[in-house]
Amino acid sequence: MRRFPCPNCPGSLFFDNHRCVACGTEVAYEPHRDSFVTTLEATPCASRLGPGACNWVAITEGTDAESTVTKGRVCANCRLDLVPDLSPLVEPFQAARRRTLRQLFALGLDPAPLQPPLRFQLLESTADEAVTTGHADGVITLDVAEGDPVRLAEIRSRLGEQYRTPIGHVRHELGHWYWQALVDAHYSLLGQAGLDDFRSVFGDERLDYAAALEAHYASVDDGSWQSSYISHYASAHPWEDFAETFAHYLHITDTLETAQSFPLVGLYGTGGLATLDFDELYRQWLELTTVLNELTRSMGVPDAYPFAPSPPAVDKIGWLHRRLTAS
Ligand SMILES: [Zn+2]
Ligand SMILES: [Zn+2]
Ligand SMILES: [Zn+2]
């Protein structure tokens, strides 16, 4: 993520800012122009003061701009909500979704025209009722209870997942939705050739999903997944492999953009990530993550990038990069 110029002064804004710290102007992010405007120039999203702390501008045209959930004109992010934001724990999830949507717009993957329609339910597990994170036919359900750092640390430790974050969940579940929208035969934008190509890289997704997950949870992690998968969970089923790979690709491209814009390392020229050959992009990624982990070790905190993908897992990310940047 880069920084943005303030529309009112020479200062810079961070992506989540509601106001410029230099001049005090109230600002809002305009996703289709990838820039900030003052709130006098455009109507802010109706969720601006809600627990999701939205800082985007409202959509002014189209029937779904008027949200029945928030009772007002909302932005391209908040119109995806099926349920109102009630808990303060939604904030890291809404922030993660705004950040990820911006990446998808940049890749030419605006969800709005794709089928099945994309919607989210941000729900919170309680002692009586557990919320199951997942995707089903366009609807992504996330458990915002994981927005509580203590709870998240407990789950991380119990499941042995070093990297478990709200943004990881958002990117992973969007991977499932994109698979359905872009690859699956019912909704395919890529056609049979795209599906065959997917199977040659990730395997045959017609494998019984429920049985595969059951077998995954019953098995002991012996580390053998490391030879071909980005994570243990990716080895459960081709759909999970794709979703994990999709999420990882978005982690890489967001972090590389950040590094370039500050600039932390001498990176990829001015043409943007889509113009880079994958081998070059990945070489820069390795260089960057080495620095990143050494920086966090210097501060005595866990590695920011606790992964060491094997060549076959990297090849799958390369496949996705070529697919997403081909058009
Ligand atoms: Zn300013
Ligand atoms: Zn909004
Ligand atoms: Zn999944």
Side-chain angles (χ1 to χ4, degrees), residues 2 6 18 20 32 39 42 54 102 117 122 161 182-183 185 188 215 217 227 239 249 256 283 293:
R2 65 185 178 89
C6 171
H18 288 67
C20 173
H32 293 289
T39 52
C54 184
R102 173 180 175 269
L122 303 188
E161 292 183 8
L182 296 175
V183 186
S188 186
Y217 287 117
S227 61
W239 281 337
Y249 181 69
L256 277 177
R283 189 192 64 70
N293 285 346

Side-chain angles (χ1 to χ4, degrees), residues 45 47 54 75 78:
C45 174
S47 302
C54 184
C75 71
C78 296

Side-chain angles (χ1 to χ4, degrees), residues 148-160 164:
D148 172 1
V150 174
R151 176 137 185 177
L152 182 59
E154 185 273 313
I155 299 172
R156 234 182 233 157
S157 151
R158 179 157 43 83
L159 299 182
R164 186 180 178 100

Side-chain angles (χ1 to χ4, degrees), residues 40 54 75 82 104 148 192 204 228 259 267 289 292:
L40 299 173
C54 184
C75 71
L82 282 177
L104 298 179
D148 172 1
Q192 187 63 41
D204 193 334
S228 4
L267 291 174
T289 49
L292 193 59

Side-chain angles (χ1 to χ4, degrees), residues 26-42:
E26 289 281 321
V27 293
Y29 175 75
E30 164 49 86
H32 293 289
R33 290 179 10 209
D34 192 28
S35 60
F36 276 82
V37 294
T38 72
T39 52
L40 299 173
E41 295 170 285

Side-chain angles (χ1 to χ4, degrees), residues 45-48 54-57 74-79 98:
C45 174
S47 302
R48 188 173 176 94
C54 184
N55 68 338
W56 283 23
V57 301
V74 292
C75 71
N77 172 62
C78 296
R79 74 170 165 186
R98 289 193 294 270

